[in-house]
Amino acid sequence: RGARAGILFKNGSQIEKMGKVKAIAFDKTGTLTTGKLEVAEIVPVVGEKCDRVLKLAAALESHSEHPIGKAITQAALQKNGQWQNASQVQAKTGLGIVGEVAGKTVKVGKTAFIRQEIPHLNPEFVRINKRLEKQGKTVVWVVEAEKVIGSIAVADAIRPEAGASIEKLKQLGIEQIVLLTGDNQVTANSVAESLGIEMVHAELLPEDKLTVIRQLQRKYQNVAMVGDGINDAPALAMATVGIAMGGAGNDVALETADVILMSDRLEKLSQAISLGRRANRIIKQNITFALSFIFLLLIANFTGNINMPLGVIGHEGSTVLVILSGLRLLL
Ligand code: ADP
Ligand code: MG
């Protein structure tokens, strides 16, 4: 039934757990948003050129699977850019990417990542970046040989069905909906606000997402996590039910999750919960029915009202009825 609706449950117990979920945490990029980021603005520092900032970033990002990396590579390609080869490229999950270009160390990533190396960032430049973030854009810095050469703002669209899907989950009685993201607080707030999500945790590393899930579990026991990236995998594994986006999802996320939403449709979430709740109701009905029937057979046995063949037919018959009742889920 789930598969027909585009919801893949990896095993039966996950359907049961899905019906008991009380809180749901969402990753932002790629989950609530399309993850199809586009470069919105390139800001070079004084004396630098947009083109060089973009090409230098693309030299590293062309090795990356991150949506930000893809956006930067795409933008550089569109400008017919030829970038230099990068070596020793390393993705720093949830932070950025680092490598060597023409003998110099180049870093692309978020403010916290850049601050690790350059504690005193130019305040004027920080202000420009803050303004872009307030517009819901994600800003990454480009650093060459320990010097900031510019920043790139990327933006993506919120999934069209996200708002309605979250509203539906609230109607279903989900007590807490949370936004978890590695992105900065300002961008995260702007997205959460437009979707009616009250609880936001921003600037999280993958292990922080896991910690938040643990805290939620202490309060709500059954917590679902919806995500798409490698950075979500620990949280997906920790959650009572891990749910991955089938289309946008990274292989690691798909491997770790218990439930996969085919074609990334967020509205399937409320369907999955309804299906789980219905399954739980039918399970209870079936157990009640089966036990009552056995009890009646026992009474009939002791009062001498039943013979062996009738007893066997009654017992096996009740089993068939339970199976048929279970199949109601297919309707
Ligand atoms: P989310 O939780 O929203 O999916 P991530 O944890 O993947 O985001 O990334 C968090 C932040 O780390 C990004 O907003 C970006 O600033 C930075 N980052 C991660 N990977 C890259 C990359 N390949 N290039 C540049 N910045 C990156
Ligand atoms: Mg993501």
Side-chain angles (χ1 to χ4, degrees):
R1 178 80 179 81
R4 248 199 257 147
I7 309 159
L8 293 188
F9 291 93
K10 285 204 191 153
N11 66 54
S13 70
Q14 299 307 335
I15 302 180
E16 235 182 299
K17 285 184 188 152
M18 196 72 201
K20 293 179 183 159
V21 162
K22 291 210 193 76
I24 305 185
F26 286 91
D27 162 59
K28 181 176 77 68
T29 321
T31 303
L32 288 175
T33 69
T34 59
K36 292 198 191 76
L37 294 166
E38 280 182 17
V39 170
E41 212 163 322
I42 303 168
V43 192
V45 295
V46 181
E48 280 294 344
K49 290 213 175 64
C50 283
D51 211 43
R52 205 173 88 85
V53 175
L54 185 63
K55 278 184 188 162
L56 206 54
L60 298 188
E61 299 287 12
S62 53
H63 295 263
S64 166
E65 281 189 19
H66 197 278
I68 295 179
K70 287 189 186 151
I72 292 176
T73 313
Q74 195 59 36
L77 279 174
Q78 271 165 8
K79 289 199 170 174
N80 278 328
Q82 275 289 318
W83 52 78
Q84 288 174 290
N85 267 335
S87 58
Q88 296 169 14
V89 180
Q90 262 190 314
K92 304 282 180 192
T93 312
L95 291 171
I97 192 163
V98 51
E100 296 257 329
V101 181
K104 290 179 181 163
T105 304
V106 176
K107 280 185 170 184
V108 184
K110 64 176 175 187
T111 316
F113 180 52
I114 301 306
R115 265 193 218 282
Q116 289 174 2
E117 193 180 47
I118 314 172
H120 301 293
L121 295 167
N122 178 345
E124 179 56 28
F125 208 68
V126 171
R127 216 168 304 136
I128 294 172
N129 286 348
K130 271 263 148 36
R131 199 195 65 227
L132 291 167
E133 286 170 355
K134 283 222 178 76
Q135 301 165 359
K137 296 178 180 128
T138 301
V139 179
V140 294
W141 297 69
V142 184
V143 171
E144 183 188 38
E146 303 193 13
K147 264 178 48 202
V148 176
I149 66 160
S151 65
I152 301 176
V154 292
D156 69 341
I158 293 174
R159 285 184 194 276
E161 78 280 12
S165 306
I166 283 171
E167 186 53 35
K168 190 83 213 277
L169 290 173
K170 287 182 182 166
Q171 279 168 19
L172 280 176
I174 299 298
E175 293 171 35
Q176 186 70 264
I177 294 177
V178 190
L179 178 87
L180 304 184
T181 181
D183 209 343
N184 70 83
Q185 190 79 46
V186 185
T187 313
N189 286 345
S190 140
V191 170
E193 203 177 317
S194 64
L195 291 176
I197 300 178
E198 280 106 35
M199 198 174 184
V200 181
H201 292 267
E203 324 232 353
L204 302 177
L205 293 176
E207 55 267 34
D208 303 328
K209 289 191 179 181
L210 185 137
T211 316
V212 177
I213 295 290
R214 264 207 209 106
Q215 283 167 3
L216 287 170
Q217 276 174 330
R218 245 173 265 141
K219 190 156 175 213
Y220 299 101
Q221 286 90 45
N222 293 300
V223 177
M225 163 82 197
V226 194
D228 70 303
I230 302 184
N231 58 332
D232 301 316
L236 288 173
M238 182 73 211
T240 320
V241 194
I243 305 164
M245 306 297 276
N250 175 282
D251 290 348
V252 182
L254 295 181
E255 190 66 38
T256 318
D258 308 301
V259 180
I260 292 165
L261 301 183
M262 306 289 288
S263 62
D264 298 347
R265 305 291 291 273
L266 285 173
E267 71 264 27
K268 300 288 175 203
L269 269 178
S270 53
Q271 279 185 37
I273 289 175
S274 300
L275 185 64
R277 288 183 182 171
R278 209 162 145 232
N280 289 342
R281 268 200 306 278
I282 290 180
I283 289 170
K284 280 189 199 124
Q285 287 165 4
N286 280 351
I287 290 174
T288 314
F289 171 77
L291 288 179
S292 319
F293 204 87
I294 303 264
F295 189 66
L296 285 179
L297 284 179
L298 270 176
I299 293 175
N301 179 38
F302 285 123
T303 54
N305 283 331
I306 198 163
N307 57 21
M308 183 65 114
L310 262 185
V312 170
I313 290 169
H315 188 241
E316 302 310 319
S318 74
T319 310
V320 172
L321 285 179
V322 161
I323 293 170
L324 289 177
S325 154
L327 288 177
R328 280 186 296 158
L329 271 180
L330 282 175
L331 300 176

